[in-house]
Amino acid sequence: MTATASPRVAAASARPAPRPPSDRLRTWATRAPLLPALLFMIVVTQLPFVATVVISFFDWNALYPKDRHFTGIDNYRQVLADPDLRHSVWTTVLLTVTVVLVSLVLGLLVALLLNRRFRGRGLVRTLMIAPFLVVPVAAALLWKHVLYNPEYGLLNGLLHYVGGPQPDWISDNPLLAVEAALVWQWTPFMMLILLAGLQSRDQQQLEAARVDGASDWQIFRYLTLPHLRRYLELGGLLGSIYIVQNFDAVFTITSGGLGTANLPYTVYQSFYQAHENGLASAAGVVVVIGSIVIATFALRVVSSLFREEVSRA
Amino acid sequence: MRTQSRRTPRALFAVAAAGTLTTSLLAGCSGAGAGGGSSAHSINVLMVNNPQMVELQKLTKANFTKDTGIKVNFTVLPENDVRDKISQDFANQAGQYDVATLSNYEIPIYAKNGWLEPIDSYVKKDTAFDQQDILKPMQQALTAADGKLYGEPFYGESSFLMYRKDVFQKKGLTMPAHPTWQQVADLAAKADGAEPGMKGICLRGLPGWGEMLAPLTTVVNTMGGTWFDKDWKARLDAPEFKKATRFYVDLVRKHGEAGAAQSGFAECLNDTTQGKTAMWYDATSGAGSLEAAGSPVKGKMGYVPAPVDRTDSSGWLYTWAWGIQKASKNPDDAWKFISWASGKGYEKLVGEQAGWANVPAGKRTSTYDIPQYRKEAAAFADVTRDAIASAKPNDPGVQPRPAPGIQFVDIPEFTDLGTKVSQEISSAVAGRQSVDDALKKAQQLAEAVGKKYEGS
């Protein structure tokens, strides 16, 4: 890239005439290897999205094939007016914020511990990462049957052993039950990112602070935390994007009952149960727009805060 | 450099976007591509991946293809995916698949849409198939509103009450031969806690039109309720519907399994197998698992017909059946396949090669006369046959219905309506809202659907 850029800059400053064809050919030659990847990206991500947008303007129920027709923004109006859907938006927000914050805090604590040297650290680290490697639907099944089940689950089994009460975990706290399962799965992810951050700290700086008489808490508050900010942002952002889309936990643990239906589950329901292709597409498009808005907003706010911090320091 | 490199992708994207429209239209026309093309003597079959179908797939080549020379290309998918794929292919009449597995919920709807080939003429010609042997309610359930037959069952089920004979004997309880729901509720109270950790009864509470709503709707039917009256007025807030729902919710809350709001067929099967419940009201197919080799409750179970209140019988009816796509180019070969798969010979073949417990039963009277099958299924064979034979898909309750169906209302909207209503009632099972509140919301949902049909 730099090789092609420098002669062109020189040429452009010398005379603003059209570039010789050989130059254009060369830039194309450098780009050419990227084209298949770009094309592939467009085919697998952009084309389905455009198709979804088109379908979202149709009244299209799979079981009424003769009634398929263009309805303009009717589907969108219905999506925004449906109380179930509005409730599922709120559930999604609640679920995402709780899971991301809790797993960030837990991830930070675990990362700080794992950043110390001790015997068997490699083994502990592998064990800590394991939950993230479990297939999401398998993890949800594990929580539903092996842990929460009031008849044969581990939690009530242990409680029974010490003579405690036998709560019905999911029915009593449905959203909390889903959140706990997701936190378990996402804490390792946060931990990994934060651990990478911790290990990229400047050791000389830490030593200098210690020589200056800074306490452990001061080092954490004024050196480690500002340094980790970028990693926290990254973890929070990636975590939010994935958890907004989470389907497995809700589908498996509660089947969308007891007020735990989030947006992806509601979209699934309108597609698979109601066969409303148009309505489901419209809901899907709304989810994408919402994610883009939130992601943009979050990125702007968070990174501007970061810039302030730097300029203040 | 930067502005330069940006310009080209944008142009590329515009081209790609234009291409999308054509691609999606093409995809819409041809249906999703899979399987081989249909030549003179090969058919494409799309089916759900239940164990009985997987067995069929294994046996086809060495038997059906060997005898007839017709090659069968199978596409086997999980239930949700198969429904999606079938509705795509059949809605477009793409003709990709000649035969598909459809349930008795879908067959009348598909037939009404003109997606299925009527099979009366094939059945009449094929005397070896012996249509008279197919259980009557099955035939009714697969006959559409126009009076033509559109499907042949592969296997079927109804619902009945399963209970622990040994526990009942120990507690001095007797199960009536034809129990009423009130008797069952009393027995559940008495059997509750008969053994440490044992509950009185297991009833589904998991949301889903095919989960909790199936048993609940049979209770509603027999207690005099209905989803819609014959003029499509929603009746979920009627006293009978309320009484039945309250009865169901109270019973499962007082003497039912723990975690009821997350318990479906699989969970109740688990509870029963592990001795966590004294009774279980569910699908007749559950008995096969309870009596399987290695089951801790094998031989300890008793089976009686579905409990009733105001009707004589209340069991549901469900079947996976074969339907031929109207646009199929090989309907003759397709029928030959159905005739083989749903025929008497196939049941015998499975019995001999895979064991009599694996026979796709619940569709033919003659199945229940096979000595080897009777031996294997002694505990539940007769009750199962009677349960299916006494099901009335067109008249399951005490009043005329606007659409067929026992544990469902046979309209396309029901999967969505039923699932949403079941979520409300599941909330009541969990004790998070009252039955009245749940049914108030459910009534509004049902009214919206009923309006579409009023006056039709």
Side-chain angles (χ1 to χ4, degrees), chain A residues 228-246:
Chain A
L228 279 185
R229 177 147 214 160
R230 244 183 298 183
Y231 297 88
L232 287 168
E233 279 170 23
L234 182 69
L237 193 76
L238 289 179
S240 309
I241 290 172
Y242 281 107
I243 292 160
V244 161
Q245 301 170 1
N246 183 275

mmCIF file of all heavy atoms in Angstrom, chain A residues 228-246:
data_model
loop_
_atom_site.group_PDB
_atom_site.id
_atom_site.type_symbol
_atom_site.label_atom_id
_atom_site.label_comp_id
_atom_site.label_asym_id
_atom_site.label_seq_id
_atom_site.Cartn_x
_atom_site.Cartn_y
_atom_site.Cartn_z
ATOM 1 N N LEU A 228 -7.124 0.105 31.572
ATOM 2 C CA LEU A 228 -8.080 -0.946 31.180
ATOM 3 C C LEU A 228 -9.307 -0.386 30.476
ATOM 4 O O LEU A 228 -10.098 -1.135 29.926
ATOM 5 C CB LEU A 228 -8.541 -1.718 32.416
ATOM 6 C CG LEU A 228 -7.609 -2.810 32.934
ATOM 7 C CD1 LEU A 228 -8.281 -3.534 34.065
ATOM 8 C CD2 LEU A 228 -7.243 -3.778 31.824
ATOM 9 N N ARG A 229 -9.479 0.928 30.546
ATOM 10 C CA ARG A 229 -10.714 1.520 30.047
ATOM 11 C C ARG A 229 -11.061 1.032 28.629
ATOM 12 O O ARG A 229 -12.176 0.637 28.347
ATOM 13 C CB ARG A 229 -10.562 3.037 30.040
ATOM 14 C CG ARG A 229 -11.773 3.710 29.468
ATOM 15 C CD ARG A 229 -11.999 5.019 30.140
ATOM 16 N NE ARG A 229 -13.405 5.270 30.231
ATOM 17 C CZ ARG A 229 -13.948 6.113 31.073
ATOM 18 N NH1 ARG A 229 -13.200 6.751 31.932
ATOM 19 N NH2 ARG A 229 -15.233 6.309 31.072
ATOM 20 N N ARG A 230 -10.043 1.051 27.776
ATOM 21 C CA ARG A 230 -10.280 0.643 26.392
ATOM 22 C C ARG A 230 -10.745 -0.812 26.309
ATOM 23 O O ARG A 230 -11.613 -1.167 25.525
ATOM 24 C CB ARG A 230 -9.005 0.816 25.580
ATOM 25 C CG ARG A 230 -9.144 1.848 24.484
ATOM 26 C CD ARG A 230 -7.882 1.920 23.693
ATOM 27 N NE ARG A 230 -6.766 2.351 24.540
ATOM 28 C CZ ARG A 230 -5.537 2.558 24.065
ATOM 29 N NH1 ARG A 230 -5.278 2.355 22.798
ATOM 30 N NH2 ARG A 230 -4.570 2.965 24.850
ATOM 31 N N TYR A 231 -10.142 -1.624 27.165
ATOM 32 C CA TYR A 231 -10.505 -3.045 27.147
ATOM 33 C C TYR A 231 -11.907 -3.259 27.711
ATOM 34 O O TYR A 231 -12.659 -4.103 27.243
ATOM 35 C CB TYR A 231 -9.469 -3.850 27.941
ATOM 36 C CG TYR A 231 -8.096 -3.762 27.324
ATOM 37 C CD1 TYR A 231 -7.214 -2.744 27.666
ATOM 38 C CD2 TYR A 231 -7.708 -4.677 26.356
ATOM 39 C CE1 TYR A 231 -5.983 -2.634 27.080
ATOM 40 C CE2 TYR A 231 -6.467 -4.585 25.767
ATOM 41 C CZ TYR A 231 -5.600 -3.562 26.129
ATOM 42 O OH TYR A 231 -4.388 -3.477 25.540
ATOM 43 N N LEU A 232 -12.245 -2.464 28.724
ATOM 44 C CA LEU A 232 -13.598 -2.549 29.284
ATOM 45 C C LEU A 232 -14.630 -2.155 28.221
ATOM 46 O O LEU A 232 -15.664 -2.796 28.067
ATOM 47 C CB LEU A 232 -13.731 -1.631 30.499
ATOM 48 C CG LEU A 232 -13.012 -2.098 31.775
ATOM 49 C CD1 LEU A 232 -12.958 -0.977 32.804
ATOM 50 C CD2 LEU A 232 -13.708 -3.311 32.373
ATOM 51 N N GLU A 233 -14.285 -1.067 27.500
ATOM 52 C CA GLU A 233 -15.193 -0.629 26.418
ATOM 53 C C GLU A 233 -15.395 -1.739 25.400
ATOM 54 O O GLU A 233 -16.512 -2.067 25.016
ATOM 55 C CB GLU A 233 -14.580 0.540 25.647
ATOM 56 C CG GLU A 233 -14.733 1.867 26.264
ATOM 57 C CD GLU A 233 -13.871 2.865 25.511
ATOM 58 O OE1 GLU A 233 -13.542 2.621 24.332
ATOM 59 O OE2 GLU A 233 -13.520 3.887 26.112
ATOM 60 N N LEU A 234 -14.273 -2.317 24.993
ATOM 61 C CA LEU A 234 -14.347 -3.354 23.963
ATOM 62 C C LEU A 234 -15.188 -4.530 24.452
ATOM 63 O O LEU A 234 -16.086 -5.001 23.750
ATOM 64 C CB LEU A 234 -12.929 -3.818 23.617
ATOM 65 C CG LEU A 234 -12.853 -4.868 22.523
ATOM 66 C CD1 LEU A 234 -13.246 -4.261 21.196
ATOM 67 C CD2 LEU A 234 -11.469 -5.464 22.444
ATOM 68 N N GLY A 235 -14.913 -4.969 25.680
ATOM 69 C CA GLY A 235 -15.671 -6.078 26.251
ATOM 70 C C GLY A 235 -17.146 -5.739 26.329
ATOM 71 O O GLY A 235 -18.008 -6.530 25.952
ATOM 72 N N GLY A 236 -17.437 -4.537 26.814
ATOM 73 C CA GLY A 236 -18.832 -4.122 26.952
ATOM 74 C C GLY A 236 -19.530 -4.070 25.615
ATOM 75 O O GLY A 236 -20.661 -4.558 25.461
ATOM 76 N N LEU A 237 -18.837 -3.552 24.614
ATOM 77 C CA LEU A 237 -19.461 -3.402 23.301
ATOM 78 C C LEU A 237 -19.715 -4.757 22.648
ATOM 79 O O LEU A 237 -20.838 -5.059 22.217
ATOM 80 C CB LEU A 237 -18.557 -2.550 22.413
ATOM 81 C CG LEU A 237 -19.230 -2.077 21.141
ATOM 82 C CD1 LEU A 237 -20.181 -0.943 21.461
ATOM 83 C CD2 LEU A 237 -18.194 -1.620 20.134
ATOM 84 N N LEU A 238 -18.674 -5.592 22.618
ATOM 85 C CA LEU A 238 -18.845 -6.916 21.995
ATOM 86 C C LEU A 238 -19.886 -7.731 22.756
ATOM 87 O O LEU A 238 -20.753 -8.372 22.162
ATOM 88 C CB LEU A 238 -17.510 -7.670 21.962
ATOM 89 C CG LEU A 238 -16.473 -7.130 20.989
ATOM 90 C CD1 LEU A 238 -15.210 -7.954 21.073
ATOM 91 C CD2 LEU A 238 -17.021 -7.169 19.567
ATOM 92 N N GLY A 239 -19.796 -7.670 24.083
ATOM 93 C CA GLY A 239 -20.759 -8.400 24.906
ATOM 94 C C GLY A 239 -22.182 -7.949 24.605
ATOM 95 O O GLY A 239 -23.066 -8.772 24.395
ATOM 96 N N SER A 240 -22.404 -6.621 24.547
ATOM 97 C CA SER A 240 -23.757 -6.122 24.281
ATOM 98 C C SER A 240 -24.273 -6.631 22.952
ATOM 99 O O SER A 240 -25.412 -7.085 22.841
ATOM 100 C CB SER A 240 -23.773 -4.595 24.238
ATOM 101 O OG SER A 240 -23.156 -4.070 25.361
ATOM 102 N N ILE A 241 -23.410 -6.569 21.924
ATOM 103 C CA ILE A 241 -23.862 -6.958 20.596
ATOM 104 C C ILE A 241 -24.306 -8.424 20.599
ATOM 105 O O ILE A 241 -25.339 -8.776 20.047
ATOM 106 C CB ILE A 241 -22.745 -6.714 19.556
ATOM 107 C CG1 ILE A 241 -22.556 -5.213 19.371
ATOM 108 C CG2 ILE A 241 -23.104 -7.367 18.224
ATOM 109 C CD1 ILE A 241 -21.366 -4.847 18.531
ATOM 110 N N TYR A 242 -23.532 -9.269 21.291
ATOM 111 C CA TYR A 242 -23.894 -10.689 21.282
ATOM 112 C C TYR A 242 -25.096 -10.992 22.161
ATOM 113 O O TYR A 242 -25.912 -11.841 21.838
ATOM 114 C CB TYR A 242 -22.689 -11.540 21.705
ATOM 115 C CG TYR A 242 -21.723 -11.720 20.577
ATOM 116 C CD1 TYR A 242 -20.509 -11.071 20.548
ATOM 117 C CD2 TYR A 242 -22.068 -12.545 19.487
ATOM 118 C CE1 TYR A 242 -19.640 -11.215 19.491
ATOM 119 C CE2 TYR A 242 -21.200 -12.682 18.433
ATOM 120 C CZ TYR A 242 -19.981 -12.026 18.433
ATOM 121 O OH TYR A 242 -19.143 -12.180 17.376
ATOM 122 N N ILE A 243 -25.189 -10.303 23.301
ATOM 123 C CA ILE A 243 -26.269 -10.649 24.225
ATOM 124 C C ILE A 243 -27.608 -10.082 23.757
ATOM 125 O O ILE A 243 -28.648 -10.679 23.983
ATOM 126 C CB ILE A 243 -25.902 -10.222 25.655
ATOM 127 C CG1 ILE A 243 -24.735 -11.104 26.109
ATOM 128 C CG2 ILE A 243 -27.069 -10.400 26.610
ATOM 129 C CD1 ILE A 243 -23.955 -10.548 27.234
ATOM 130 N N VAL A 244 -27.571 -8.950 23.048
ATOM 131 C CA VAL A 244 -28.819 -8.457 22.441
ATOM 132 C C VAL A 244 -29.392 -9.533 21.532
ATOM 133 O O VAL A 244 -30.600 -9.735 21.455
ATOM 134 C CB VAL A 244 -28.554 -7.156 21.639
ATOM 135 C CG1 VAL A 244 -29.680 -6.904 20.652
ATOM 136 C CG2 VAL A 244 -28.432 -5.969 22.575
ATOM 137 N N GLN A 245 -28.500 -10.263 20.865
ATOM 138 C CA GLN A 245 -28.961 -11.276 19.917
ATOM 139 C C GLN A 245 -29.252 -12.623 20.558
ATOM 140 O O GLN A 245 -29.652 -13.560 19.879
ATOM 141 C CB GLN A 245 -27.893 -11.521 18.849
ATOM 142 C CG GLN A 245 -27.533 -10.298 18.075
ATOM 143 C CD GLN A 245 -26.316 -10.537 17.216
ATOM 144 O OE1 GLN A 245 -25.760 -11.629 17.191
ATOM 145 N NE2 GLN A 245 -25.901 -9.517 16.491
ATOM 146 N N ASN A 246 -29.022 -12.746 21.875
ATOM 147 C CA ASN A 246 -29.110 -14.077 22.470
ATOM 148 C C ASN A 246 -30.504 -14.687 22.324
ATOM 149 O O ASN A 246 -31.519 -14.053 22.572
ATOM 150 C CB ASN A 246 -28.735 -14.050 23.938
ATOM 151 C CG ASN A 246 -28.772 -15.442 24.519
ATOM 152 O OD1 ASN A 246 -29.810 -15.912 24.933
ATOM 153 N ND2 ASN A 246 -27.649 -16.114 24.479
#
